[in-house]
Amino acid sequence: MSELDLDELAGELADFAPAKKKQATYTPREERIIAGFEDIERFYEEHSRLPQHGEGLDIFERLYAVRLDRLRALEDCRALLASFDKHGLLDRAEVSTPDELDTDDLMAELEGLGGGGDITQLRHVRSAVDKRAADEIANRDKCADFEKFELLFKQVQAELASGTRATRPFELKAEIRPGAFFIVGGQTAYVAEMGVIYTNPQGRTDARLRVIFDNRTESNMLMRSLQRALHADEAGRRITDPVAGPLFADKAEDGESETGTIYVLRSKSDHPVVAEHREVMHKIGVTSGTVESRIAGAEKSSTYLLSGVEVVTTYKVYGVNCRQLEALIHKVFLPAQINLSIPDRFGNTVKPREWFLVPLNVIDEAVQRIRDGSITGCLYDPASATLRKA
């Protein structure tokens, strides 16, 4: 057998090699369109439904919905995506109200379909509700009777400087109430009045407020507008009520030793009851040690629902009996004690007793009433979500 040159051998075998499949090539614009459609397909596979329009939905879902509408409307996009549309999303007809997005922002988001930008990159697009909230904060009138509130602002600033008041991150809409102070947009805001609470078309509670600002302006804004502005402002804060006396002071008086801390916790459990009521379901307790040591190992304790917890707020207490104080707080909120049964680590059914369905602002009020002694005879009324005399 004669020896073949390697090049000759390769040439002989080439005739028997399978033909290579020609790989499709796409322009940068087509690649962006395909990538954008694949995002929509992944959403469909994860949620078993098409992305929907709607102000209350996640911004990514809303943009996927807008993108899908646009892809359906462009014949060249439909032709390009025909081989990728394994779920038939381009031809599926579902009734949906178009999203109310700003035209300029929407065009910027969809410019990838026209050859510029990157359709796979979702920018922050504000809805009409977000814009209205920003407008209500920005558009203010001169406060004609500011002299009625001027001393309040000066007092608040003095109390912040002395430590009688403090600032805390804003969390819940329930914290917005008449008499409350906030910091938003770098200015101190005072909720002077609140109108009748009603349910808006989206099924959420709202009310018209009269908010006075320390720059002598005011705004007749909605409660949800103030809520949105505080959440959007990284420096947005709520200002606590003033501390009265050494019982709740930030430091002990001379010769007085610290007794403990009232703590309010929120569970991170994925239990259905907890997930449904997470924002108003709180564990309230009093400890003579540190809160950190108290909640250490929460994931292994049925008292903490065998899950991690978040410290919502704390109040330092001095010269009191922690056990008696905790019993008093639990007695006040007894009507809101949640009846929840869970298995412990050994499979035994336990019923944690220190969890209550109470808004944070009512807990703040209870602490204030303990300070001034008006808590005597008070009970929490779940129907009105208020403290009332028994």
Side-chain angles (χ1 to χ4, degrees):
M1 181 178 180
S2 61
E3 293 185 2
L4 293 176
D5 181 86
L6 289 178
D7 292 334
E8 293 177 352
L9 179 59
E12 292 286 336
L13 296 178
D15 294 335
F16 299 96
K20 291 184 178 180
K21 187 176 180 180
K22 186 177 181 180
Q23 186 174 2
T25 58
Y26 300 103
T27 66
R29 173 181 180 267
E30 290 172 334
E31 290 179 351
R32 287 194 297 270
I33 293 172
I34 293 170
F37 185 70
E38 288 175 342
D39 288 338
I40 298 172
E41 284 201 318
R42 278 192 290 272
F43 178 91
Y44 177 81
E45 291 167 356
E46 290 177 7
H47 301 278
S48 301
R49 63 176 175 82
L50 291 178
Q52 297 293 312
H53 299 286
E55 291 180 344
L57 299 176
D58 179 79
I59 186 64
F60 285 89
E61 177 176 356
R62 295 163 60 193
L63 288 173
Y64 290 154
V66 174
R67 179 185 294 167
L68 181 58
D69 288 345
R70 185 64 173 155
L71 292 172
R72 286 170 170 171
L74 297 174
E75 288 300 327
D76 61 329
C77 291
R78 294 176 66 92
L80 172 66
L81 298 171
S83 61
F84 296 92
D85 190 11
K86 55 187 176 182
H87 301 297
L89 305 185
L90 293 173
D91 296 316
R92 183 168 302 187
E94 290 191 10
V95 178
S96 182
T97 303
D99 214 335
E100 208 176 334
L101 297 176
D102 179 84
T103 304
D104 294 335
D105 289 339
L106 178 58
M107 291 305 295
E109 170 58 30
L110 296 178
E111 66 181 358
L113 295 176
D118 185 352
I119 197 171
T120 65
Q121 297 298 317
L122 291 177
R123 302 170 181 85
H124 172 68
V125 180
R126 294 189 302 169
S127 70
V129 170
D130 293 326
K131 286 184 175 290
R132 286 196 295 270
D135 289 343
E136 283 197 320
I137 288 289
N139 298 329
R140 307 174 194 167
D141 299 317
K142 181 179 179 181
C143 181
D145 56 346
F146 185 76
E147 64 277 0
K148 291 169 53 177
F149 308 100
E150 189 170 11
L151 288 178
L152 287 177
F153 284 108
K154 291 181 178 179
Q155 181 179 353
V156 167
Q157 292 304 318
E159 290 171 344
L160 284 172
S162 67
T164 305
R165 290 181 185 260
T167 62
R168 295 183 183 142
F170 173 80
E171 292 185 325
L172 303 175
K173 185 176 64 176
E175 295 170 350
I176 300 174
R177 54 182 172 78
F181 284 89
F182 301 93
I183 297 175
V184 58
Q187 294 178 331
T188 303
Y190 172 65
V191 181
E193 300 174 16
M194 176 183 288
V196 177
I197 297 177
Y198 65 92
T199 302
N200 65 20
Q202 288 74 40
R204 301 182 178 92
T205 57
D206 211 340
R208 184 64 66 177
L209 307 175
R210 184 191 181 195
V211 181
I212 313 297
F213 295 87
D214 61 356
N215 66 345
R216 296 178 174 270
T217 62
E218 67 173 273
S219 176
N220 185 30
M221 68 176 63
L222 290 172
M223 180 165 56
R224 291 190 64 81
S225 295
L226 179 56
Q227 176 191 12
R228 285 174 179 270
L230 284 163
H231 280 309
D233 185 357
E234 292 184 358
R237 308 278 286 182
R238 71 181 179 95
I239 299 176
T240 65
D241 291 332
V243 174
L247 179 61
F248 290 85
D250 289 333
K251 60 182 181 179
E253 297 292 329
D254 292 340
E256 184 180 39
S257 59
E258 179 177 319
T259 304
T261 305
I262 301 174
Y263 57 87
V264 181
L265 309 178
R266 192 173 294 153
S267 176
K268 297 180 180 179
S269 170
D270 57 1
H271 189 284
V273 174
V274 179
E276 181 180 359
H277 304 287
R278 196 179 308 278
E279 286 195 352
V280 293
M281 183 173 168
H282 296 109
K283 174 178 168 61
I284 311 171
V286 183
T287 178
S288 58
T290 65
V291 177
E292 289 75 15
S293 61
R294 181 76 170 185
I295 65 176
E299 297 84 353
K300 300 179 181 180
S301 173
S302 56
T303 300
Y304 298 97
L305 309 182
L306 299 175
S307 179
V309 292
E310 170 193 359
V311 180
V312 179
T313 189
T314 60
Y315 311 87
K316 290 184 179 180
V317 291
Y318 299 94
V320 297
N321 184 302
C322 288
R323 183 168 297 182
Q324 290 180 1
L325 178 58
E326 183 175 80
L328 171 62
I329 295 173
H330 290 176
K331 180 179 179 181
V332 169
F333 291 118
L334 183 62
Q337 188 178 67
I338 190 166
N339 184 18
L340 180 65
S341 299
I342 63 169
D344 63 13
R345 289 185 296 161
F346 307 102
N348 302 314
T349 300
V350 294
K351 292 186 176 183
R353 294 296 185 185
E354 295 182 3
W355 292 90
F356 305 87
L357 293 177
V358 181
L360 182 59
N361 67 298
V362 181
I363 299 174
D364 277 337
E365 181 185 351
V367 172
Q368 176 62 34
R369 287 182 173 274
I370 292 173
R371 293 173 185 159
D372 60 26
S374 63
I375 195 69
T376 306
C378 282
L379 279 179
Y380 177 69
D381 177 18
S384 62
T386 59
L387 292 174
R388 293 186 174 182
K389 289 291 184 179

